[in-house]
Amino acid sequence: MNSVYKCAILSLVIMLLSSGELFAQFQNDIYGGSQGNYSGQTGTNKASADTVDQVFSFRTLFRGLSHKDTMGVGYAFGAGLIVPGLGQVYNRDYWKIPVIYAGLGTTIGFGIHYNNLYKASVTAAEGVEGAVPNQKYKNISTACFIGAGLIYWAQLLDVNISYEISAPKSAGKATVYSILFPGAGQAYNGEYWKIPIYTAGLSAGIYFWTYYNKQYQRYKRIHNEATNPDIPYEGPISAETALFYRDSFRRSRDLAVVCTMLVYILQIIDANVFSYMADFDISDNLAMRVKLEPTIITPIDINNNMTSYTGIGTDSAVGMKIGLNF
């Protein structure tokens, strides 16, 4: 169960570390949520909208939450990531906020309660022969904390689903989908054939992560027993052999963790990049046209590079100009 907690903490850390980049990455979602789709934005305004120099602005956040200004999906997601329910405030889904906090308060409260009961049963079982702690309390506590995590995750997903954009595709929404649910960003982009690839990569990574960690824990236990002077050890595996396999499986486990996280990050990048390319014109209507038209050819002057043209004179000639239009 410790590995479950570690995975949950690692996922939360990754989302927190990426939230700052999300604020900058999704600035253009303010103006339509798609690549280069700036409704009414030209010149300086468009350049200002494209900039990522300003990673985070409390002014933009507070004006967005008070509905005095429009903020991108990255701001809404980041707000809900830090304080659950803020994304729902921006989306005007006020009725969802008490539901979120009632769910979080109930699951966390029961989780703490049953965890305390389990600790009390552990204390009561100490020194009593044949007595064991009540594992049921521990299981209920774990289930409650997992439920709280799912509610927190669901409110982030709800922020992204309920966020309204004027463009057909949004790089911000595709990225958030991939962060919360691997493969969902590819489904949002309509690239369903990629989902089995990333699913297989993540599944393989998690499988080897779990397998190598199990073997690491096994040989770690054997090594501890073989090197404990207070307990006689008569196992078939020597301490040196157990140490070798323990370190080997630990390295393999760490490599599996790195590979799993790389696949996870890759599918996020893939969803972001290909959502930007969604409206690129790659249809068969693209064509090249050759343009041929008459023109006046002015001779080059050696001293002045080119003579000034004032009409068709003795030094000028009539020719043909070829142009290529795409």
Side-chain angles (χ1 to χ4, degrees):
M1 190 58 63
N2 290 333
S3 60
V4 175
Y5 291 139
K6 291 178 181 178
C7 292
I9 294 173
L10 181 61
S11 301
L12 181 60
V13 169
I14 291 174
M15 288 193 295
L16 288 174
L17 291 177
S18 63
S19 61
E21 181 64 22
L22 288 172
F23 287 131
Q25 182 69 24
F26 307 150
Q27 289 293 317
N28 60 347
D29 282 326
I30 299 175
Y31 302 104
S34 186
Q35 49 278 26
N37 185 7
Y38 301 90
S39 176
Q41 300 294 318
T42 58
T44 305
N45 292 336
K46 178 179 178 180
S48 175
D50 268 333
T51 183
V52 294
D53 293 336
Q54 186 180 31
V55 176
F56 175 75
S57 169
F58 280 107
R59 181 177 181 273
T60 302
L61 178 63
F62 292 139
R63 287 183 62 85
L65 293 177
S66 60
H67 304 106
K68 295 180 180 179
D69 200 355
T70 304
M71 66 181 184
V73 63
Y75 271 84
F77 173 77
L81 187 68
I82 298 172
V83 180
L86 286 186
Q88 282 71 24
V89 172
Y90 177 75
N91 291 333
R92 300 179 186 271
D93 294 328
Y94 303 108
W95 66 271
K96 297 179 181 178
I97 298 175
V99 176
I100 293 171
Y101 278 95
L104 289 174
T106 301
T107 52
I108 294 175
F110 276 108
I112 295 174
H113 172 70
Y114 280 102
N115 188 57
N116 291 334
L117 291 178
Y118 174 74
K119 290 181 179 179
S121 68
V122 172
T123 304
E126 292 179 354
V128 179
E129 185 178 356
V132 294
N134 193 332
Q135 190 64 33
K136 179 181 178 180
Y137 292 149
K138 183 64 174 178
N139 294 336
I140 295 177
S141 174
T142 302
C144 288
F145 287 128
I146 292 176
L150 290 176
I151 294 173
Y152 175 80
W153 175 86
Q155 63 92 21
L156 291 174
L157 184 62
D158 174 75
V159 171
N160 200 48
I161 294 175
S162 302
Y163 185 90
E164 296 182 357
I165 59 173
S166 58
K169 295 293 181 183
S170 165
K173 296 193 73 170
T175 306
V176 172
Y177 275 132
S178 292
I179 290 175
L180 296 176
F181 199 94
Q186 283 69 32
Y188 176 78
N189 292 335
E191 299 175 320
Y192 300 100
W193 63 273
K194 294 181 179 179
I195 298 177
I197 298 176
Y198 289 118
T199 301
L202 289 172
S203 299
I206 294 174
Y207 169 78
F208 286 111
W209 179 352
T210 305
Y211 172 77
Y212 288 132
N213 183 64
K214 182 178 180 180
Q215 296 300 321
Y216 163 71
Q217 296 295 339
R218 174 192 175 193
Y219 284 99
K220 178 182 178 181
R221 175 180 54 80
I222 295 175
H223 180 263
N224 291 340
E225 292 177 358
T227 55
N228 190 344
D230 299 329
I231 301 176
Y233 176 74
E234 299 179 355
I237 301 177
S238 64
E240 293 77 10
T241 303
L243 178 62
F244 170 80
Y245 282 112
R246 185 199 68 178
D247 294 341
S248 177
F249 282 118
R250 182 180 58 190
R251 288 191 296 268
S252 299
R253 180 203 60 183
D254 295 343
L255 180 60
V257 172
V258 172
C259 292
T260 304
M261 299 312 301
L262 286 177
V263 175
Y264 175 75
I265 295 173
L266 180 62
Q267 60 92 25
I268 296 175
I269 296 174
D270 173 90
N272 180 274
V273 171
F274 281 91
S275 63
Y276 274 112
M277 300 173 62
D279 14 349
F280 283 8
D281 190 359
I282 56 175
S283 65
D284 295 335
N285 295 329
L286 294 177
M288 180 180 69
R289 183 168 61 89
V290 179
K291 185 178 182 182
L292 185 65
E293 60 183 14
T295 186
I296 302 298
I297 302 176
T298 304
I300 298 176
D301 185 90
I302 299 177
N303 297 322
N304 299 322
N305 295 329
M306 183 172 289
T307 59
S308 60
Y309 175 69
T310 58
I312 302 177
T314 57
D315 295 334
S316 301
V318 177
M320 301 299 293
K321 181 175 68 175
I322 300 176
L324 300 177
N325 293 334
F326 294 89

